[in-house]
Amino acid sequence: LWDGTLWDAEPGQPTRFTLVLQHPGALRKMFWPLTELTMGEAYIYDDFDIEGEIEAVFPVADYLAGQHRGAIRSLFDACHLLKLPSRHNTCVGRRAAHLSGKRHSIERDRRAVTYHYDVSNAFYMLWLDRRMVYSCAYFTAPDDDLDTAQERKLDYICRKLRLHPGQRLLDIGCGWGGLVIYAVQHYGVEAVGITLSRQQAELANERIHKAGLSDRCRVELCDYRQVDEPEGYDKLVSVGMFEHVGESLLPEYFRRAWHLLRPGGVFLNHGIACSAPE
């Protein structure tokens, strides 16, 4: 605890990690309000810390998130949490974006993406792979480096899409263009990527130009709701963008994707593949 008090695990049980509560209101910050983001943000803002195996925390978090409390129990827990001190963090750097307007409107989503990504490409270059792929990588051995793991992931996606020379590919939420460039270079397709980040689009198109691929590949500053090419693509892909669409817009998201696919086309969405009718 913040005063140095230590609550030990059960005697004889191995300690895989220690949860460090940094101040008296740490639990309030971790669990109030009761959303899926609260605990993650409390960690980001240093309301609590983890010493030891950070991976061992996830089953605990999953257990807590999966608890189905009744209305009375939830009210009881909320009353206890709200009795704890409220602390406003004095963290260095930017806090969460303050957005206005209709939730998941094109303009609001654009402002959210701009706030998150347009902080300079140099920042993301510090810790991403050389292609700047901003999603999970595919490691097959402990000594794989990040570049190798990300290239393996890109090839895995292309194979699942069953790409062939001459096909047209659309990458929804393409980031810095790593996948579209790889698909053109290694599978002979024509590719278009879309993003709401101006800095992503500018760097992606700069890399496309340097690679001599401008006649077969481009990245556009565009929302998926603004793409209007009925049956214009053989394959669609979206990696790590699906969760940002918004639950209420998922039917519209898939309807638009279906609209863009040619008969027999394939849509690979965050690990889920579906085929358009012949």
Side-chain angles (χ1 to χ4, degrees):
L1 306 179
W2 55 92
D3 63 357
T5 303
L6 179 64
W7 290 358
D8 287 324
E10 286 187 39
Q13 295 296 320
T15 301
R16 297 182 60 187
F17 69 91
T18 300
L19 183 68
V20 182
L21 304 184
Q22 304 283 37
H23 58 86
L27 287 177
R28 174 172 176 159
K29 289 293 186 180
M30 291 169 66
F31 297 108
W32 186 263
L34 297 172
T35 72
E36 59 184 10
L37 296 177
T38 305
M39 187 177 293
E41 291 182 343
Y43 177 74
I44 290 172
Y45 293 132
D46 198 33
D47 295 303
F48 74 96
D49 199 2
I50 300 161
E51 297 176 353
E53 298 180 30
I54 192 168
E55 295 90 351
V57 176
F58 293 112
V60 179
D62 290 341
Y63 171 79
L64 293 172
Q67 293 295 298
H68 298 290
R69 300 174 177 84
I72 295 177
R73 177 61 188 274
S74 296
L75 182 61
F76 182 79
D77 291 344
C79 288
H80 277 285
L81 287 172
L82 292 175
K83 288 178 182 178
L84 295 171
S86 177
R87 166 178 163 173
H88 297 285
N89 298 307
T90 56
C91 61
V92 177
R94 304 193 308 167
R95 297 183 65 88
H98 295 286
L99 303 172
S100 59
K102 184 179 179 181
R103 192 170 187 179
H104 288 300
S105 65
I106 292 178
E107 183 54 37
R108 180 178 168 129
D109 281 356
R110 190 186 307 279
R111 291 199 305 270
V113 168
T114 297
Y115 186 84
H116 182 81
Y117 288 103
D118 291 354
V119 295
S120 87
N121 291 326
F123 166 71
Y124 287 96
M125 287 178 182
L126 292 173
W127 49 278
L128 294 179
D129 68 305
R130 64 185 178 87
R131 289 186 174 87
M132 299 178 69
V133 180
Y134 194 34
S135 56
C136 58
Y138 188 178
F139 292 85
T140 60
D143 58 350
D144 282 348
D145 60 28
L146 185 57
D147 285 338
T148 299
Q150 288 291 15
E151 182 172 339
R152 185 180 292 113
K153 190 270 296 291
L154 295 180
D155 195 68
Y156 183 65
I157 290 172
C158 291
R159 286 187 287 111
K160 285 186 73 71
L161 284 166
R162 304 192 293 276
L163 295 180
H164 297 290
Q167 292 183 332
R168 292 195 77 209
L169 169 69
L170 175 66
D171 184 358
I172 302 172
C174 67
W176 288 272
L179 176 56
V180 292
I181 293 173
Y182 185 89
V184 170
Q185 290 176 326
H186 295 272
Y187 285 84
V189 300
E190 297 180 6
V192 177
I194 59 173
T195 176
L196 291 176
S197 166
R198 185 174 299 279
Q199 291 193 21
Q200 284 185 339
E202 289 175 352
L203 181 58
N205 284 316
E206 179 183 323
R207 289 181 166 186
I208 289 168
H209 177 72
K210 287 182 178 179
L213 302 175
S214 298
D215 60 329
R216 293 185 291 151
C217 186
R218 69 181 186 276
V219 169
E220 299 179 350
L221 194 64
C222 180
D223 188 279
Y224 72 92
R225 289 161 286 191
Q226 296 172 315
V227 181
D228 188 18
E229 295 183 73
E231 299 186 3
Y233 295 92
D234 299 285
K235 307 292 170 66
L236 267 63
V237 65
S238 184
V239 183
M241 200 283 284
F242 174 75
E243 60 268 44
H244 302 294
V245 170
E247 184 176 0
S248 64
L249 287 178
L250 288 179
E252 174 69 4
Y253 173 75
F254 285 108
R255 186 192 68 78
R256 286 180 176 272
W258 211 262
H259 180 65
L260 296 173
L261 274 178
R262 292 170 179 167
V266 173
F267 181 20
L268 178 65
N269 183 78
H270 206 181
I272 301 173
C274 57
S275 300
E278 296 290 349

